């Protein structure tokens, strides 16, 4: 995705009078596919071929129906669906999109949908009779993929800039990449055995209860024995987000990260400064006013930050029954604590004793300061890792270490 | 069949589809690809499949997904009782019985997926709430959705006689795999617009007064803009208007308390019900005028 959000080549509006005839319809579709890929659509060759087939199947007088047809082919989830209208219009109707038209003397292929369909039909007629025309068109579509691929490369290189941009400078539309990344990290979190088994020389273990239950089908004769199998479950994630004054500039983006994880994984999200409050239900609803709600929740909190007291509250009240070997606690905080310095280490030790793995994310460069974190470091292995989290690349890199 | 005919067919089957949805359905028929319909609960995803079956004159085969759904419930199961009887019969007759005789189509119990691909006539296969099924089952579906075939180890691969039109629905409670998504066309079913929802209600409840329908639908549309945990779907709108009609009302009453008593049809959580106090209901009915009038009265 580029910074301005303008499609790569200069477009010609399909509604514009005197639009150029569409000389390369397959190229135009390949360009559109590349444009969608630039914006995070998972569009493969098969989808691109389906788009060409749809354009061929549509009669000329229904060329406008390409929009919903292509949307059904190209979109894979709600995020794509919501982006579609804007992306489609910016590519095919640039004149309708204010500020996206540039002036240039060079001649470029038209993006008139009706002419595109017409050109595709003409091309099909000119080719060998039968299905050969269609096949060659599809093959050509695949060949022009290279063209689109180059554009996609261009898009990828532009997205590098976004990758390295600090979260604080992000635009709302960039956050869709964050959601994708959170989903990828959530998928990578290894499933763990719920119970460890010793090898048994007699082989698999019979599940007697299920075998007897299944034998009811066969009149009580256990024809199909049921075997016990190991169960694996994903770890349970808890995010503790510091929303104190010292984190004012980062808290909102950390909350967006938390929201992305809440959507991708079964995650419980808490916010704290002097006290702790759970905000998971607020993050689940699809409302833009998350920050306002969190502010409302934390409105009565006093100034300062009590990390240790908040973690104690989290451990003994909110997540008491859920903290075990499968629990992962991610603390998103700069580490400045108003509690006695030793107390944070004691609270983290209590968490570690229950098998919880703790990661600490901080926004600043270098090692986070504060006497409390110094005390934690002295203890050695209370926190698995201190990780900097200030840009998308940080999160992508961090994902490789989380398990 | 073009999309205009399809749209008329859906309307005749009691479903009001907009132009885009009709086009997507036409495309699913044309490309013979499954259609994944996502959207909040109550926006008419399941009803779409039923209406589509009616419009196309096909049988509807429904597979309701749930946690723990397995192959035996979804695709096929061997009829063990019959196999046992067959074995006993051969024992008494001292005839020879091979394993292949027992594992033939005669002993196979067809469950929805197998029934859909082995039917004499093409059908509409509804795989409802796929997000409730386990990931393992999703992987099994890939063969059915991609190649319209089911492999039974004892019999081999059973290919579809006629490709069914497959509609998958999801409420988005779980992220579906990319592999599944890529085999499907996608449609996001949002809450209907005011005009479309009025059409839907009129089609389903022709006996309700026009003023009641229009005002009630406008109220529900405003309610959906509130910050609710569970927004009312079309099914809830129909329930509510049916309730108001049964109360003998020809228009939405001005009495906020009376409306509040019927809101059980629309709001399904305690938090949502407590959020909508009579003042807020009045504001939703009358828009800004209520707020202004109250402020003036207080002043």
């Amino acid at each position: 995705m580029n910074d301005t959000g303008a499609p790569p080549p200069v477009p010609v509006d399909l509604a514009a009078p005197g639009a150029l005839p569409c000389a390369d319809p397959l190229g135009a579709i390949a360009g559109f596919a590349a444009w969608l890929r630039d914006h995070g659509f998972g569009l493969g060759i098969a989808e691109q071929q389906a788009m060409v087939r749809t354009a061929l199947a549509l009669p000329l007088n229904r060329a406008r129906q390409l929009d919903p047809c292509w949307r059904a082919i190209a979109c894979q989830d709600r995020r794509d669906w919501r982006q579609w209208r804007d992306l489609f219009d910016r590519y095919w109707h640039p004149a309708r999109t204010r500020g996206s038209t540039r002036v240039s003397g060079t001649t470029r292929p038209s993006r008139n949908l009706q002419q595109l369909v017409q050109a595709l039909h003409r091309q099909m007629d000119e080719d060998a009779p039968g299905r050969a025309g269609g096949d060659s068109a599809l093959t050509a579509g695949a060949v022009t993929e290279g063209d689109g691929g180059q554009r996609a490369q261009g898009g990828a290189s532009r997205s590098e800039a976004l990758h390295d941009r600090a979260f604080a400078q992000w635009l709302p539309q960039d956050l869709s990449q964050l959601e994708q990344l959170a989903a990828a990290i959530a998928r990578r979190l290894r499933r763990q055995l719920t119970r460890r088994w010793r090898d048994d020389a007699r082989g698999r273990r019979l599940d007697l209860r299920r075998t007897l239950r299944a034998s009811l089908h066969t009149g009580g004769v256990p024809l199909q024995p049921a075997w016990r199998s190991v169960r694996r479950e994903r770890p349970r994630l808890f995010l503790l987000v510091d929303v104190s004054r010292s984190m004012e500039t980062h808290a909102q983006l950390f909350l967006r990260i938390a929201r992305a994880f809440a959507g991708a994984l079964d995650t419980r999200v808490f916010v704290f400064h002097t006290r702790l409050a759970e905000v998971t239900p607020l993050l689940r609803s699809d409302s833009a006013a998350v920050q306002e709600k969190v502010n409302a929740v934390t409105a009565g909190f006093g100034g300062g930050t009590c990390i240790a007291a908040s973690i104690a509250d989290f451990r003994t009240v909110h997540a008491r029954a859920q903290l075990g070997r499968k629990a992962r606690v991610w603390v998103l905080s700069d580490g400045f604590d108003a509690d006695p310095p030793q107390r944070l280490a004691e609270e983290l030790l209590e968490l570690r004793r229950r098998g919880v793995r703790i990661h600490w994310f901080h926004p600043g460069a270098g090692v986070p300061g504060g006497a409390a974190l110094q005390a934690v470091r002295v203890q050695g292995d209370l926190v698995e890792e201190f990780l900097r989290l200030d840009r998308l690349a940080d999160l992508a890199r961090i994902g490789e270490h989380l398990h | 069949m073009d999309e205009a005919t399809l749209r008329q067919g859906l309307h005749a089957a009691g479903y009001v589809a907009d132009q885009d949805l009709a086009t997507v359905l036409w495309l699913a028929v044309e490309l013979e690809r499954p259609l994944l319909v996502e959207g909040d609960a109550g926006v008419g995803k399941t009803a779409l499949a039923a209406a589509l079956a009616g419009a196309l004159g096909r049988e509807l085969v429904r597979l309701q997904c749930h946690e723990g759904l397995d192959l035996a419930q979804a695709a096929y199961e061997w009829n063990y009782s019959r196999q046992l009887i067959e074995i006993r019969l051969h024992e008494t007759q001292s005839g020879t019985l091979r394993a292949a005789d027992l594992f033939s189509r005669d002993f196979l119990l067809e469950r929805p997926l197998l029934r859909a691909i082995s039917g004499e006539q093409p059908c509409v296969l509804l795989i409802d709430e796929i997000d409730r099924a386990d990931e393992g089952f999703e992987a099994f579906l890939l063969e059915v959705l991609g190649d319209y075939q089911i492999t039974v180890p004892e019999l081999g691969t059973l290919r579809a006689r006629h490709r069914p039109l497959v509609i998958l629905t999801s409420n988005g409670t779980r992220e579906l795999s990319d592999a599944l998504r890529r085999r499907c066309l996608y449609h996001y079913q949002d809450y209907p617009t005011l005009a479309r929802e009025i059409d839907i209600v009129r089609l389903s409840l022709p006996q309700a007064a026009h003023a009641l329908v229009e005002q009630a639908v406008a109220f529900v549309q405003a309610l959906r803009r509130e910050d609710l945990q569970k927004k009312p779907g079309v099914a809830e709108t129909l329930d509510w208007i049916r309730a108001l009609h049964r109360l003998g009302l020809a228009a939405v009453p001005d009495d906020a308390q009376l409306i509040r008593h019927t809101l059980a049809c629309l709001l399904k959580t305690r938090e949502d019900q407590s959020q909508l106090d009579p003042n807020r209901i009045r504001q939703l009915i009358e828009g800004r005028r209520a707020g202004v009038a109250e402020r003036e009265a207080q002043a």
Side-chain angles (χ1 to χ4, degrees):
Chain A
M1 195 194 308
N2 59 15
D3 291 353
T4 57
V10 177
V12 175
D13 191 353
L14 79 87
L20 298 171
C22 192
D24 181 14
L26 294 172
I29 294 176
F32 182 52
W35 165 242
L36 293 176
R37 275 186 217 109
D38 282 354
H39 288 80
F41 280 61
L43 210 66
I45 302 275
E47 283 77 22
Q48 200 174 317
Q49 287 179 344
M51 286 167 76
V52 175
R53 272 167 55 198
T54 312
L56 285 170
L58 273 175
L60 280 177
N61 58 349
R62 280 162 48 201
R64 284 185 185 277
Q65 291 307 314
L66 271 181
D67 173 6
C69 288
W70 283 355
R71 179 167 61 176
I73 293 168
C75 294
Q76 289 187 2
D77 54 27
R78 192 176 178 179
R79 188 190 65 86
D80 292 351
W81 190 264
R82 293 221 160 135
Q83 277 198 90
W84 175 268
R85 173 62 38 234
D86 178 44
L87 292 177
F88 185 87
D89 283 348
R90 270 156 66 190
Y91 191 88
W92 296 105
H93 310 286
R96 288 186 203 166
T97 321
R98 196 171 48 177
S100 68
T101 309
R102 282 175 274 166
V103 179
S104 166
T106 53
T107 309
R108 287 174 177 82
S110 166
R111 286 186 180 162
N112 185 317
L113 275 181
Q114 184 134 12
Q115 287 176 359
L116 179 139
V117 174
Q118 197 170 10
L120 270 178
H121 281 265
R122 197 172 50 239
Q123 226 173 59
M124 189 171 65
D125 294 340
E126 284 169 3
D127 280 334
R131 290 191 56 79
D135 288 344
S136 70
L138 296 183
T139 318
V143 171
T144 50
E145 173 70 13
D147 204 19
Q150 282 169 9
R151 277 196 201 137
Q153 285 293 325
S157 69
R158 280 194 294 275
S159 74
E160 282 300 309
L162 173 67
H163 220 63
D164 283 334
R165 210 185 304 155
F167 277 134
Q169 298 164 12
W170 274 34
L171 299 171
Q173 61 265 33
D174 299 335
L175 292 167
S176 62
Q177 287 198 24
L178 172 63
E179 284 168 16
Q180 284 179 332
L181 193 55
I185 291 174
R187 277 198 297 272
R188 263 209 302 267
L189 282 176
R190 265 207 304 264
R191 288 172 182 272
Q192 281 187 311
L193 286 175
T194 50
R195 194 166 288 185
R196 293 176 197 157
W197 284 7
R198 285 198 186 134
D199 284 341
D200 192 331
R202 287 170 298 180
R204 291 186 291 175
R205 295 167 190 222
L206 186 70
D207 189 334
L208 195 61
R209 197 164 174 273
R210 277 178 50 218
T211 303
L212 289 176
R213 182 83 182 97
S215 73
L216 294 179
H217 275 294
T218 52
V221 182
L223 282 181
Q224 282 203 321
W227 303 101
R228 285 191 181 177
S229 57
V230 290
R231 263 195 327 143
R232 289 174 184 276
E233 286 181 3
R234 283 220 172 86
R236 186 85 201 257
L237 191 59
F238 298 91
L239 263 66
L240 309 183
V241 184
D242 187 345
V243 291
S244 64
R245 192 171 294 275
S246 63
M247 289 285 290
E248 209 166 33
T249 52
H250 297 95
Q252 193 174 2
L253 287 155
F254 277 5
L255 278 170
R256 282 187 177 147
I257 292 174
R259 190 179 173 193
F261 276 99
L265 194 68
D266 186 16
T267 306
R268 288 183 71 185
V269 183
F270 298 84
V271 293
F272 67 90
H273 42 100
T274 54
R275 276 186 289 153
L276 183 90
E278 180 164 11
V279 292
T280 317
L282 306 184
L283 298 180
R284 278 200 191 122
S285 64
D286 192 19
S287 162
V290 174
Q291 183 67 39
E292 287 173 25
K293 289 176 179 176
V294 173
N295 288 347
V297 168
T298 57
F301 292 11
T305 320
C306 299
I307 304 179
S310 299
I311 289 179
D313 193 24
F314 164 71
R315 179 177 61 78
T316 55
V317 178
H318 293 276
R320 190 171 54 87
Q322 293 176 317
L323 296 175
R325 208 160 53 83
K326 281 191 307 177
R328 303 280 178 279
V329 173
W330 295 358
V331 185
L332 288 77
S333 167
D334 55 6
F336 290 106
D337 193 3
D339 284 323
Q342 195 55 38
R343 196 175 164 204
L344 180 60
E346 288 166 8
E347 290 301 334
L348 293 180
L349 182 63
E350 287 297 324
L351 281 180
R352 288 290 296 140
R353 277 187 181 143
R354 296 176 68 167
V356 177
R357 288 189 189 171
I358 306 162
H359 284 86
W360 197 289
F361 299 92
H362 56 90
V367 183
L373 285 187
Q374 294 290 350
V376 171
R377 266 196 218 90
V378 170
Q379 294 266 2
D381 58 348
L382 290 181
V383 174
E384 303 256 322
E385 269 180 294
F386 288 93
L387 299 159
R388 184 188 178 191
L389 182 53
D390 192 31
R391 51 200 77 224
L392 195 62
D394 291 338
L395 194 59
R397 197 179 56 247
I398 285 167
E400 294 165 12
H401 299 287
L402 297 171
H403 47 80
Chain B
M1 182 183 277
D2 63 1
E3 64 254 44
T5 321
L6 194 59
R7 206 173 166 191
Q8 283 169 6
L10 287 170
H11 196 272
Y15 193 93
V16 180
D18 57 23
Q19 181 65 45
D20 283 1
L21 177 58
T23 305
V24 172
L25 292 171
W26 166 80
L27 188 67
V29 175
E30 194 75 12
L31 296 180
E32 294 186 324
R33 282 181 70 174
L35 174 64
L36 170 63
V37 185
E38 265 190 339
D40 289 345
V43 292
K45 302 184 291 293
T46 306
L48 170 66
L52 190 60
L56 296 173
R58 295 186 186 184
E59 185 196 356
L60 176 71
V61 178
R62 177 173 177 170
L63 173 64
Q64 177 66 50
C65 296
H66 54 83
E67 203 177 327
L69 179 70
D70 60 12
L71 207 60
Q73 296 163 310
Y76 67 89
E77 193 175 9
W78 289 107
N79 191 340
Y80 292 115
S81 311
R82 271 203 63 192
Q83 284 173 327
L84 281 172
I85 292 169
E86 195 72 13
I87 292 168
R88 296 275 158 83
L89 279 174
H90 272 80
E91 280 171 358
T92 56
Q93 293 166 359
S94 67
T96 53
L97 186 68
R98 295 171 305 153
D101 296 333
L102 286 175
F103 290 98
S104 63
R105 284 298 288 265
D106 295 340
F107 296 96
L108 200 64
L109 292 173
E110 290 182 352
R111 302 295 183 217
L113 293 181
L114 186 57
R115 193 145 61 86
I117 68 164
S118 59
E120 292 294 331
Q121 298 294 326
C123 65
V124 173
L125 170 63
L126 167 64
I127 302 176
D128 210 6
E129 301 189 336
I130 178 66
D131 49 334
R132 290 187 189 277
D134 304 320
E135 287 173 24
F137 179 73
E138 219 179 274
F140 164 74
L141 268 187
L142 298 181
E143 187 189 10
V144 181
L145 299 181
D147 302 323
Y148 294 96
Q149 63 183 35
I150 291 175
T151 302
V152 182
E154 295 86 351
L155 286 181
T157 301
L158 307 174
R159 290 194 173 77
R161 292 181 187 172
H162 303 279
R163 290 189 161 197
L165 178 57
V166 186
I167 307 286
L168 299 102
T169 71
S170 165
N171 288 333
T173 55
R174 175 174 70 78
E175 194 59 36
L176 301 176
S177 71
D178 286 350
L180 182 77
R181 286 183 184 276
R182 295 198 76 166
R183 278 164 178 77
C184 303
L185 299 175
Y186 181 83
H187 180 78
Y188 185 78
Q189 183 86 325
D190 216 336
Y191 292 104
T193 58
L194 178 72
R196 189 168 155 241
E197 194 164 12
I198 288 174
D199 286 348
I200 293 168
V201 176
R202 278 188 182 152
L203 188 65
S204 305
L205 295 169
Q207 66 276 27
H210 280 203
L212 173 68
V213 172
E214 284 174 11
Q215 290 171 13
V217 170
F219 179 85
V220 175
Q221 294 262 334
L223 197 61
R224 289 196 191 116
R225 288 192 286 273
E226 294 289 296
D227 192 12
L228 300 174
Q229 281 189 1
K230 168 72 189 81
K231 291 179 184 173
V234 180
E236 278 84 14
T237 310
L238 287 169
D239 278 351
W240 188 51
I241 296 176
R242 196 173 287 124
L244 295 177
H245 175 66
R246 292 256 174 98
L247 286 171
L249 297 169
V252 172
D254 293 331
D255 183 358
Q257 279 299 351
L258 179 59
I259 290 182
R260 196 158 187 238
H261 292 149
T262 58
L263 282 185
C265 301
L266 292 175
L267 303 175
K268 304 294 174 70
T269 71
R270 187 182 163 202
E271 288 79 9
D272 288 349
Q273 287 200 345
S274 58
Q275 186 179 327
L276 224 66
D277 55 24
N279 282 339
R280 189 70 200 133
I281 293 172
R282 212 168 295 127
Q283 284 172 357
L284 286 176
I285 296 171
E286 298 177 8
R288 287 182 183 174
R289 279 177 300 145
V292 172
E294 272 175 16
R295 276 199 297 276
E296 284 172 356
Q298 282 168 6

